[in-house]
Amino acid sequence: MLRANLARALKRIFDGANLDQALATFAADDRPFAQALLYAACRQHFSTAAIIEELCERRPKPLILALLHVALTELRFLATPAHAAVNESVAGARSIQASAAGFVNAVLRRFQRERSALEAHAMEAAEARYEHPTWLLEAIARDWPGHLEAICAAANQAPPMWLRIDARGPGRELYRERLAQSGIAAEMPDDPPHALKLVTPVAIERLPDFALGAVSVQDAAAQRIVAAVAARAGQRVLDACAAPGGKAAALVEAVPGLLLTAIDRDAARIGRLRDTFERCRVDAQVLVGDAATTLFDTDFDRIVIDAPCTGTGVIRRHPDIKLLRRASDVGALVEEQRRLLDALWRKLKPGGRLVYATCSILRAENGDQIAAFLARTPEARLAPVPFAAWGFDAGAGQQNLPGEHDEDGFFYAILDRV
């Protein structure tokens, strides 16, 4: 039954799987509903958890607990008629554990009767009010005083759908017209130069010539990599953490004649990178390995480190991050970022440029990381970003916060070697 399967999928997330892994178990016909519910369950996890704690004297078994999350998410945030949501959830409980059906029915009926009071009481806790874990609330309040409420509100919203139009094609104005002919409205910002933002997200199958590489889905913040790198034809460029390949493809589209090497140590993700390159007609050397320890046959004019990070700037796109990340992850990621910076700097030509980027909003991974690198690397110079009106000065680099300019939370630091 679908509700039982949704409970199993959500329990997988509670146990450490990500949303993509959980959704992969659903058939095509069930996937749209499963995606809507599981995304909402992750976005609103903390208030739902607080309500369940109020409703249950004793913590239910893990799979029944997940089913209650599914059922309450459906009742609170989806358009399913309440009687249908309750009946389907009780049937799902019965298929999991027959004796639990009555318990689930009683809990959901009580929620319906006392909803206003239960939700109001839940919101007294900061985790439920902001829908973020305590460790992350503390980190945001420390790193971005005065911005906590806006950051959390933006992170809890569904994101817009940004497109990147192939720079080698006829242009975004003509592509916007093609979208309009297909009944898809799009806005055209001044910057980035190849970006369009859809008024309403659509399935990628509806995008004209998506399969032919005419357009890609990529947030505007990520598209700014092209301006930051400022590569020229004939230069050798290393994308050191390249999968799934969107930023590398953007660079090649914008600068024909670029000599690109794309490397990633995750062999599973390399398949997605190759698919991206094939669809976008990207000619590049593709390697599987650790960029920090790989012996390349040349040094590079440009290096991109799209570093492994907490992903705290893209929670609106990946709300499971709120459940999967822990405060203890930050130190290990900061050390990995430091390792990549130090090792790859040695592979940059004099006069070259290294662009360090993350989709994090934590200073330890961003401004503090770059300040420490500059202090120990005398031949490195911090260059201004070419989109200075974007984001906030992070001391060493530029930080966009989630929702600013309707873009993701993203950090850039441009390091030139003298």
Side-chain angles (χ1 to χ4, degrees), residues 160-163 189 195-197 216-220 317 405-406:
M161 187 171 182
W162 284 93
L163 306 180
L196 292 174
K197 185 178 71 172
S216 297
V217 178
Q218 186 178 48
D219 191 82
R317 296 193 183 280
H405 312 286
D406 216 3

Side-chain angles (χ1 to χ4, degrees), residues 134-200:
T134 296
W135 76 267
L136 185 51
L137 291 175
E138 292 173 349
I140 294 170
R142 179 189 65 240
D143 288 356
W144 297 103
H147 293 276
L148 175 65
E149 188 169 340
I151 288 172
C152 291
N156 291 332
Q157 298 297 313
M161 187 171 182
W162 284 93
L163 306 180
R164 184 190 78 244
I165 310 308
D166 188 347
R168 301 164 297 185
R172 62 176 178 167
E173 292 87 352
L174 289 178
Y175 194 84
R176 186 187 188 191
E177 292 176 9
R178 294 187 65 191
L179 288 172
Q181 292 166 6
S182 299
I184 302 171
E187 299 172 357
M188 189 164 63
D190 293 335
D191 189 54
H194 305 294
L196 292 174
K197 185 178 71 172
L198 299 190
V199 173
T200 302

Side-chain angles (χ1 to χ4, degrees), residues 67-108:
L67 180 72
L68 287 175
H69 270 273
V70 166
L72 288 172
T73 297
E74 189 170 6
L75 285 168
R76 297 178 70 204
F77 302 110
L78 271 63
T80 311
H83 70 276
V86 171
N87 291 342
E88 291 295 329
S89 298
V90 171
R94 187 175 294 112
S95 73
I96 294 170
Q97 179 186 336
S99 60
F103 166 74
V104 168
N105 183 63
V107 167
L108 298 183

Side-chain angles (χ1 to χ4, degrees), residues 166-392:
D166 188 347
R168 301 164 297 185
R172 62 176 178 167
E173 292 87 352
L174 289 178
Y175 194 84
R176 186 187 188 191
E177 292 176 9
R178 294 187 65 191
L179 288 172
Q181 292 166 6
S182 299
I184 302 171
E187 299 172 357
M188 189 164 63
D190 293 335
D191 189 54
H194 305 294
L196 292 174
K197 185 178 71 172
L198 299 190
V199 173
T200 302
V202 301
I204 59 173
E205 293 81 10
R206 290 191 59 197
L207 299 175
D209 288 339
F210 176 85
L212 300 178
V215 62
S216 297
V217 178
Q218 186 178 48
D219 191 82
Q223 294 185 44
R224 296 179 185 278
I225 192 70
V226 174
V229 172
R232 300 188 299 275
Q235 287 187 322
R236 294 189 175 276
V237 177
L238 173 67
D239 188 341
C241 307
K247 295 182 184 66
L251 289 168
V252 171
E253 290 171 3
V255 189
L258 208 61
L259 303 176
L260 177 69
T261 297
I263 184 170
D264 200 284
R265 66 181 182 181
D266 188 336
R269 283 164 53 88
I270 283 288
R272 292 179 60 195
L273 180 143
R274 292 186 189 279
D275 290 344
T276 297
F277 283 7
E278 180 178 359
R279 185 182 64 82
C280 295
R281 308 183 315 282
V282 170
D283 182 17
Q285 180 186 30
V286 176
L287 302 173
V288 181
D290 183 346
T293 58
T294 297
L295 296 176
F296 298 101
D297 59 6
T298 183
D299 287 340
F300 296 92
D301 301 287
R302 299 285 190 270
I303 295 177
V304 175
I305 304 178
D306 185 14
C309 69
T310 56
T312 45
V314 292
I315 286 174
R316 64 182 188 167
R317 296 193 183 280
H318 305 284
D320 49 337
I321 288 171
K322 294 190 287 189
L323 280 65
L324 300 177
R325 283 292 182 207
R326 301 288 183 269
S328 56
D329 296 335
V330 178
L333 287 163
V334 167
E335 176 58 27
E336 174 64 6
Q337 294 155 3
R338 183 205 62 77
R339 186 183 73 91
L340 287 167
L341 276 164
D342 288 346
L344 291 168
W345 185 256
R346 295 191 290 270
K347 301 175 184 183
L348 183 67
K349 293 178 181 178
R353 167 170 289 187
L354 185 151
V355 175
Y356 175 87
T358 77
C359 54
S360 170
I361 59 171
L362 302 185
R363 290 187 184 273
E365 301 179 90
N366 297 335
D368 292 353
Q369 179 75 268
I370 296 304
F373 175 78
L374 290 167
R376 66 178 180 267
T377 313
E379 70 277 17
R381 296 289 184 274
L382 183 68
V385 299
F387 31 85
W390 173 90
F392 296 83

Side-chain angles (χ1 to χ4, degrees), residues 42-74:
C42 290
R43 282 200 178 99
Q44 318 296 338
H45 167 78
F46 295 95
S47 61
T48 300
I51 291 169
I52 290 173
E53 187 173 343
E54 187 76 13
L55 286 167
C56 301
E57 291 183 4
R58 283 186 281 185
R59 188 177 179 86
K61 291 182 178 180
L63 194 51
I64 297 301
L65 176 63
L67 180 72
L68 287 175
H69 270 273
V70 166
L72 288 172
T73 297
E74 189 170 6

